[in-house]
């Protein structure tokens, strides 16, 4: 808390992907990630035109940058869960 009043905090758009509460055995990793990208786009009011996961992610990041004119924070929690689930 010491640093709180020492710097000026800025808000950034955040894309938070948490693999902790997902079930990859039912829908698969690709489908889950695609779903999360669509959820983030809907939250920010962005309609994605792309078809693939990589182009959707790129389109989302570009749209957020154009809207906010600043960097985008991407948080990935429990990124190792898909690996550990399939190793069991």
């Amino acid at each position: 808390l010491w640093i709180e009043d020492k710097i000026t905090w800025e808000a950034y758009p955040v894309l938070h992907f948490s693999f902790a509460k997902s079930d990859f055995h039912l829908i698969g990793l690709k489908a889950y990630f695609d779903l999360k990208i669509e959820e983030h786009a809907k939250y920010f009011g962005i309609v994605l035109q792309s078809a693939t996961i990589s182009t959707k992610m790129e389109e989302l990041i570009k749209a957020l940058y154009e809207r906010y004119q600043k960097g985008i924070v991407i948080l990935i929690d429990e990124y190792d869960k898909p690996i550990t689930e399939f190793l069991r």
Side-chain angles (χ1 to χ4, degrees), residues 15-80:
L15 301 177
H16 181 211
F17 297 93
S18 177
F19 296 109
K21 297 179 182 175
S22 62
D23 191 352
F24 299 100
H25 294 289
L26 290 178
I27 64 172
L29 180 59
K30 289 171 98 172
Y32 176 77
F33 199 68
D34 189 51
L35 175 69
K36 291 301 170 186
I37 292 171
E38 291 287 345
E39 285 177 2
H40 284 298
K42 184 177 178 181
Y43 174 81
F44 286 105
I46 297 168
V47 177
L48 300 174
Q49 305 297 320
S50 301
T52 66
I53 292 172
S54 59
T55 54
K56 283 181 180 182
M57 187 69 167
E58 180 181 1
E59 184 180 349
L60 179 58
I61 290 169
K62 284 181 179 180
L64 289 171
Y65 180 78
E66 287 174 11
R67 178 178 293 170
Y68 295 99
Q69 293 296 306
K70 57 173 63 176
I72 290 85
V73 176
I74 301 174
L75 297 175
I76 303 175
D77 284 340
E78 300 293 331
Y79 64 89
D80 59 336

